[in-house]
Amino acid sequence: MQGKVEKRMIVGRGMTMAAVAALAMTGAGMVAPAPASAQTATMTDTKAAPQEDPYIWLEDKDGAKPLAWVEAENKRTLARLQSDPRYQTFYREAYAIAAAKDRIPMPAQLMGRIVNFWRDADHPQGVWRRTTPADYANPAPKWQTLIDLDALAKAEGHKWVWKGATCLQPDERLCLVALSEGGEDAVTYREFDLAAGRFVDRGFTLPTSKQGAVWLDKDTLLVSRDWGAGTMTASGYPFVIKAVKRGQPLSAATELFRGQPGDQLGSYASVMTDAAGNKAVIVERRPTFFGGESLILVDGKLVKLDMPARVFAQGLVDGQLLFQTSEAWGDVPAGAIASAPLSAVRTGRFTPQVVFAPGARQTVDGFATTRHHVIANVYDNVRATPMVFTHANGRWTSRALPLADNASVDVVSTSDASDQAYMQVTGFLTPTTLWSVDASGAARPAEVKALPAKFDASNDVVEQFEATSTDGTKVPYFVVHRKDAKLDGSTPTIMTAYGGFESSMTPYYSGITGKLWLERGGSFVVANIRGGGEFGPKWHDAGRKTKRQVIYDDLAAVAKDLIARRLTSAAKLGIYGGSNGGLLMGVEFNQHPELWKAVTIQVPLLDMLRYEQIAAGASWVDEYGSVTVPEERAFLAKISPYHNIRRGVAYPEPYIWTTTKDDRVGPQHARKFAARLKEYGLPYLFFEDTAGGHSGDADIEQGARLQALQMTYFAQKLLGQ
């Protein structure tokens, strides 16, 4: 229940730096003062605050003493939640939905086949498999297994978790398969031959590291990884790119580019191709999370591109290199799609052309290229209006894709080989459907597969409202509830939000939320608060660094609006969020304890004065600010959940969960927060799973367990005993 599920499979033409940055995520105007009650709850009392951190020992992630503490806390929490008679029912229902074989096998297009990664009760770790496009359209395709992760894990004694594949273009026969131990961000790469259906004997193998690798040609990889001492940033990301030749040891790799040890996100290469045989090899250095410099490889030499720091190349079609902008670039506004001829880009100095410039309430939530077109996920007031763009005679034309209203529409798969694309449509009460789309417009979109309903939505309705935040900004939110819900504040309601990293929360179908919560009369809310990307870069930038209080004010404003509309009440309202959303929950727990009856804090950042020294924390200074800057440190001290817990405050009892294998945010934050609550004699529940990484999905059993534990907590708090 960490909000919107990531729907795009990382397989095919290789990850752009934007995709790497997305995986590395956790997770306007002047700031208005918080209400008096919030000021009281969040003000840092320097006289009362301890001068030293008494729980720094819990930062030893795998130490015997911290793990013994975790074991004791888990035992206490599980005894309460799993003894609740509702837990087993929740678990069975969640597992049945997660393992159901009637789910849509989301497609990737490789070598003229449909490739899919799949997990179910028979394959809890999963299988990578393929079939023909014609057979894929059938209700029950005949799949050929390429990799059985359960068998591989058993044979090798590792809990392998699938992290995607990157394949050589244009023939797509050779792929680098990424495998993670227990769900960590660090991966091992292995070369796989799609035609032969097996790993390549003595093929490319890159040992475990936080790393990125792309194909330059069939015998050369461009690799960013841990090359030894001094080649990883303080946040644990690689900043040295080397060319690795087939048959050579890593020690013989040739350096192509070197960033700086102080860079936040490191340096990576990406390779973009189009159907005409054009290829762009881009190197990106990210001194900050959101900004950097881009270079293009021309005749063996790197040429720096003359463009703003927050503009990045995202695709190539018909010789046009495509960019997405998070800041203005000449005549191209922030949040737009732009292009330039690859021949001009190779010179380093060029003039961009606007492909699409969004309006005030629009955003581009990514795009993908086909053989001759660009398909963009455009959202208007958080509702999908997908569009196709075509370049001809020196100009771009556009047309809308008629797929759905009041829903989310996302590109699932495209290929250089054709204009055929797969797209999915999903909504809060609409089971996900998969569509075949001809980007050329020669044929109308056709439904390929549909997810059967996982819960009874016949009595439910979706409404969109707006709350007014402390500075007058209108903040939209969705409410899913029963049509006959009484407007008397009695409806049990759970709300989620994210509010960071320009990441949007759009409508999505969750069978588990529907089955476990909506069917039991509960209401579900998604708040589109600032910090996200729902209205483009400006919506995100409004809440960065010391301006961040507006994010927290926005969520409180939505809660107050829900209560004012009598859709729920503080006694019936629970909130949850993960990663950066976990920080959001921690702040709301401190600043507005009177607004919530239940707060679930998932894989969170909570110690904002030490976050830069924990796991990948140093990479997020561009989002949160740094304790090395006095003004930013003062703000972080003011909002840091760990430092702002106060004795004697009537907080709701929170449920805090994390995973030991989380090498992105790290379990240290959650541990220390729980320990401080315990010290102050405040009620809490804490659970730390031993696997699963930052996403908590090492296998379907773990996912179902985490869902059931969380829903049991909400049931106890909001539905009653």
Side-chain angles (χ1 to χ4, degrees), residues 422-438:
Y422 289 98
M423 302 184 70
Q424 71 169 3
V425 177
T426 182
F428 291 117
L429 300 178
T430 307
T432 303
T433 54
L434 182 72
W435 293 74
S436 174
V437 173
D438 186 340

Side-chain angles (χ1 to χ4, degrees), residues 20 23 157 170 184 207 286 289 348 425 450 456 480 543 574 587 609 677:
V20 173
L23 290 176
E184 296 176 334
R286 287 286 183 95
F289 194 95
V425 177
D456 181 4
V480 188
V587 174
L609 296 183
L677 291 171

Side-chain angles (χ1 to χ4, degrees), residues 230-495:
T231 62
M232 301 289 278
T233 69
S235 51
Y237 293 105
F239 64 88
V240 177
I241 303 172
K242 294 186 179 184
V244 177
K245 291 289 186 180
R246 183 176 297 280
Q248 289 185 338
L250 292 181
S251 59
T254 304
E255 185 170 314
L256 174 68
F257 180 80
R258 178 178 290 259
Q260 296 295 324
D263 292 348
Q264 291 178 18
L265 201 56
S267 300
Y268 297 85
S270 60
V271 177
M272 303 173 204
T273 61
D274 68 12
N278 296 303
K279 180 162 69 173
V281 180
I282 304 293
V283 165
E284 289 182 13
R285 175 195 169 207
R286 287 286 183 95
T288 64
F289 194 95
F290 302 108
E293 60 178 348
S294 299
L295 306 94
I296 189 166
L297 189 64
V298 180
D299 298 328
K301 296 182 179 180
L302 289 171
V303 177
K304 186 175 179 179
L305 302 185
D306 182 17
M307 60 188 193
R310 293 175 66 190
V311 172
F312 296 102
Q314 297 290 314
L316 183 65
V317 65
D318 287 343
Q320 296 288 314
L321 193 60
L322 295 151
F323 303 85
Q324 191 155 8
T325 68
S326 286
E327 63 177 296
W329 181 19
D331 294 332
V332 181
I337 305 173
S339 74
L342 180 58
S343 56
V345 176
R346 290 178 183 275
T347 69
R349 297 181 64 85
F350 55 98
T351 301
Q353 179 182 11
V354 174
V355 178
F356 175 74
R361 300 291 281 184
Q362 290 182 314
T363 190
V364 178
D365 192 27
F367 61 84
T369 59
T370 68
R371 184 176 180 86
H372 294 300
H373 305 275
V374 178
I375 304 176
N377 301 324
V378 178
Y379 282 81
D380 195 330
N381 201 31
V382 206
R383 297 169 185 266
T385 54
M387 300 182 71
V388 175
F389 302 96
T390 306
H391 187 266
N393 302 317
R395 58 187 292 268
W396 289 93
T397 57
S398 65
R399 62 182 178 86
L401 268 177
L403 278 178
D405 294 323
N406 301 328
S408 293
V409 180
D410 294 276
V411 180
V412 174
S413 172
T414 62
S415 170
D416 286 346
S418 74
D419 286 320
Q420 195 75 18
Y422 289 98
M423 302 184 70
Q424 71 169 3
V425 177
T426 182
F428 291 117
L429 300 178
T430 307
T432 303
T433 54
L434 182 72
W435 293 74
S436 174
V437 173
D438 186 340
S440 72
R444 290 185 60 81
E447 184 177 306
V448 180
K449 294 182 183 295
L451 178 73
K454 297 299 178 181
F455 63 95
D456 181 4
S458 61
N459 295 316
D460 296 323
V461 66
V462 178
E463 295 184 285
Q464 187 181 34
F465 298 109
E466 286 185 338
T468 303
S469 194
T470 50
D471 62 355
T473 298
K474 300 296 184 181
V475 180
Y477 65 94
F478 292 98
V479 184
V480 188
H481 62 88
R482 289 183 62 90
K483 296 174 183 176
D484 59 357
K486 296 179 180 179
L487 297 181
D488 61 359
S490 64
T491 302
T493 301
I494 55 176
M495 175 166 65

Side-chain angles (χ1 to χ4, degrees), residues 27-361:
M30 297 182 64
V31 178
S37 61
Q39 291 177 347
T40 301
T42 61
M43 189 176 297
T44 301
D45 184 349
T46 55
K47 293 181 180 179
Q51 297 301 307
E52 296 183 2
D53 187 344
Y55 300 113
I56 200 165
W57 60 274
L58 286 169
E59 292 185 15
D60 182 7
K61 185 170 76 74
D62 300 308
K65 183 180 177 182
L67 290 180
W69 179 91
V70 167
E71 184 178 6
E73 291 292 328
N74 284 357
K75 183 177 180 180
R76 181 181 71 88
T77 295
L78 294 178
R80 173 170 143 188
L81 295 180
Q82 291 184 335
S83 66
D84 189 306
R86 290 170 290 199
Y87 170 78
Q88 285 299 331
T89 300
F90 286 148
Y91 175 78
R92 285 193 302 269
E93 291 178 349
Y95 186 88
I97 291 171
K101 295 187 177 182
D102 59 5
R103 290 173 290 129
I104 298 175
M106 290 299 176
Q109 301 172 65
L110 290 173
M111 288 191 71
R113 302 289 186 91
I114 298 298
V115 180
N116 164 258
F117 182 74
W118 180 262
R119 294 195 295 194
D120 59 25
D122 299 324
H123 310 94
Q125 295 300 117
V127 292
W128 196 35
R129 57 189 190 170
R130 68 181 173 190
T131 189
T132 65
D135 195 34
Y136 178 73
N138 293 326
K142 296 179 176 63
W143 294 97
Q144 175 194 2
T145 296
L146 296 168
I147 301 175
D148 184 331
L149 256 66
D150 296 273
L152 186 68
K154 183 177 180 180
E156 298 182 351
H158 294 277
K159 191 175 181 65
W160 290 127
V161 175
W162 179 259
K163 291 290 185 177
T166 303
C167 302
L168 174 66
Q169 299 298 317
D171 64 12
E172 301 178 327
R173 172 171 178 162
L174 300 177
C175 298
L176 291 175
V177 170
L179 302 174
S180 161
E181 175 71 46
E184 296 176 334
D185 285 350
V187 298
T188 295
Y189 280 114
R190 295 186 189 178
E191 185 178 5
F192 192 87
D193 186 329
L194 273 178
R198 58 177 173 79
F199 288 108
V200 176
D201 293 336
R202 294 181 295 279
F204 284 113
T205 300
L206 303 177
T208 300
S209 175
K210 283 190 176 180
Q211 60 183 321
V214 294
W215 295 90
L216 184 62
D217 56 51
K218 69 180 182 64
D219 295 316
T220 312
L221 303 178
L222 297 182
V223 180
S224 306
R225 60 169 285 112
D226 187 348
W227 301 102
T231 62
M232 301 289 278
T233 69
S235 51
Y237 293 105
F239 64 88
V240 177
I241 303 172
K242 294 186 179 184
V244 177
K245 291 289 186 180
R246 183 176 297 280
Q248 289 185 338
L250 292 181
S251 59
T254 304
E255 185 170 314
L256 174 68
F257 180 80
R258 178 178 290 259
Q260 296 295 324
D263 292 348
Q264 291 178 18
L265 201 56
S267 300
Y268 297 85
S270 60
V271 177
M272 303 173 204
T273 61
D274 68 12
N278 296 303
K279 180 162 69 173
V281 180
I282 304 293
V283 165
E284 289 182 13
R285 175 195 169 207
R286 287 286 183 95
T288 64
F289 194 95
F290 302 108
E293 60 178 348
S294 299
L295 306 94
I296 189 166
L297 189 64
V298 180
D299 298 328
K301 296 182 179 180
L302 289 171
V303 177
K304 186 175 179 179
L305 302 185
D306 182 17
M307 60 188 193
R310 293 175 66 190
V311 172
F312 296 102
Q314 297 290 314
L316 183 65
V317 65
D318 287 343
Q320 296 288 314
L321 193 60
L322 295 151
F323 303 85
Q324 191 155 8
T325 68
S326 286
E327 63 177 296
W329 181 19
D331 294 332
V332 181
I337 305 173
S339 74
L342 180 58
S343 56
V345 176
R346 290 178 183 275
T347 69
R349 297 181 64 85
F350 55 98
T351 301
Q353 179 182 11
V354 174
V355 178
F356 175 74
R361 300 291 281 184

Side-chain angles (χ1 to χ4, degrees), residues 616-639:
S619 66
W620 307 316
V621 168
D622 213 13
E623 176 78 10
Y624 300 123
S626 173
V627 296
T628 63
V629 179
E631 179 188 9
E632 293 172 358
R633 187 191 192 283
F635 179 76
L636 289 169
K638 183 178 179 180
I639 60 101

